[in-house]
Structures are given as C-alpha cells and as structure tokens.
Amino acid sequence: MSKESIKLIANNKKAYHDFFIEDKFEAGISLFGTEIKSVRMGKVSIKESYVEIDKGEAYIIGMNISPYEMGNIFNKDPLRTRKLLLHKYEIEKLLGKSSEKGYTIMPLQVYLKDGKCKIEIGLAKGKKLYDKRESIAKKDQRRELEREFKVKNL
C-alpha cells in the first residue's frame, strides 16, 4: 500500500465564508512546465477564480500562477484560462447543477498529490447575509467552548 502524499498549495477560505459547499470534486489541471514549477514553489492564488463549463470541457478562469523566475520565453500568461481534467459524468453533473439558479462552481484548494497538481472544486450555493452572520456566531461559540475546555484541563 502506498500512502498518498498531499501538500496544500493554496486554499480558498472566502469560498467557505460566502457559499454553502454542497458537493466536492477532485480535478487535475492542464499546466505547462514553468507553471508546475511555480505551483511547486507555492506561487498560486485562487481567490478571484471560478470554474466555467464550455462545450463539454471544464475551465478555471482567473487562477493566478505567478511566472517562474528562472523561466524566460517559456513563461505563460499568469491569468490564462486553464483546462480542468474531469470525467465526462462529473462535468455533466456539474453542468446540470450549475445551470440551476443560485449555483456556481468554485475552486476550494490547490494541492500536490503524488507529485501531480490537483484542484478541489465545489458546487456552491451563495449565502445570504443572515447565513454569514449565523456562521460567524457558530465559529465564535465553538472558539469560546474550546477556550473554556482548555482552561479546565490545565
């Protein structure tokens, strides 16, 4: 048995704050040589990115991979649209759900799994303001309980 080695590169905390994540998928990303070197150095941002499905293919738009410093003419545009590698049935499921009102497809995290760059995308439904306040209140309450528990155990 081989253990999967996973190294987190980028995380999208804002997606969890602004959206309810209903379903998650793991996808590969089609990258060029200098881009994967930048990913391995951790120079990735997925804050303003989103996933779009066009002609049966999934693409990530707005994902920023900084140019590799040692690369020269081989560097690509940092904000270019990149193809996601998903199975046909996963793309069809995402397309069906995302066409409903209020649903979108968000990138959640980018990581290296056994040397390959993977992205976790989620089917997300937008939160209303009162939902966000409720989430913040739950986090504060949980944090307070953890503090009390820590004080009691000392």
Side-chain angles (χ1 to χ4, degrees):
M1 282 191 235
S2 65
K3 288 189 176 181
E4 293 179 349
S5 58
I6 295 176
K7 179 185 172 195
L8 186 66
I9 304 294
N11 199 3
N12 192 355
K13 292 179 184 175
K14 196 170 170 80
Y16 290 101
H17 183 262
D18 293 341
F19 297 92
F20 291 115
I21 308 301
E22 296 193 0
D23 207 356
K24 294 179 182 178
F25 297 90
E26 181 182 72
I29 311 172
S30 180
L31 297 173
F32 285 95
T34 55
E35 288 179 321
I36 190 66
K37 289 177 182 182
S38 283
V39 169
R40 290 200 171 127
M41 291 173 69
K43 302 204 173 192
V44 178
S45 173
I46 55 173
K47 283 184 173 53
E48 285 89 37
S49 60
Y50 61 96
V51 177
E52 197 172 86
I53 297 175
D54 183 37
K55 297 177 188 163
E57 300 285 345
Y59 298 96
I60 186 161
I61 299 166
M63 178 178 173
N64 188 354
I65 298 179
S66 299
Y68 183 58
E69 292 105 28
M70 308 300 266
N72 43 27
I73 59 167
F74 301 111
N75 282 338
K76 300 286 181 184
D77 177 30
L79 292 171
R80 75 178 184 87
T81 302
R82 294 170 181 88
K83 184 177 174 181
L84 295 181
L85 309 172
L86 285 163
H87 291 283
K88 199 87 168 155
Y89 68 90
E90 291 175 323
I91 292 173
E92 288 170 1
K93 185 175 181 180
L94 284 169
L95 183 62
K97 276 292 204 176
S98 66
S99 61
E100 292 178 24
K101 188 177 187 300
Y103 281 96
T104 187
I105 308 167
M106 299 287 299
L108 303 176
Q109 57 188 17
V110 176
Y111 52 92
L112 291 172
K113 181 177 177 182
D114 294 329
K116 294 176 177 66
C117 184
K118 302 284 184 179
I119 185 165
E120 185 177 60
I121 58 174
L123 187 63
K125 188 173 176 98
K127 283 186 181 179
K128 303 279 189 256
L129 183 62
Y130 55 85
D131 291 329
K132 291 181 191 177
R133 288 183 186 144
E134 193 176 299
S135 298
I136 292 169
K138 282 182 184 177
K139 279 184 194 170
D140 289 343
Q141 189 177 26
R142 191 185 73 228
R143 204 176 296 128
E144 200 62 42
L145 284 171
E146 287 173 359
R147 243 187 241 134
E148 288 176 21
F149 183 72
K150 189 176 179 183
V151 170
K152 286 181 184 176
N153 286 345
L154 290 179

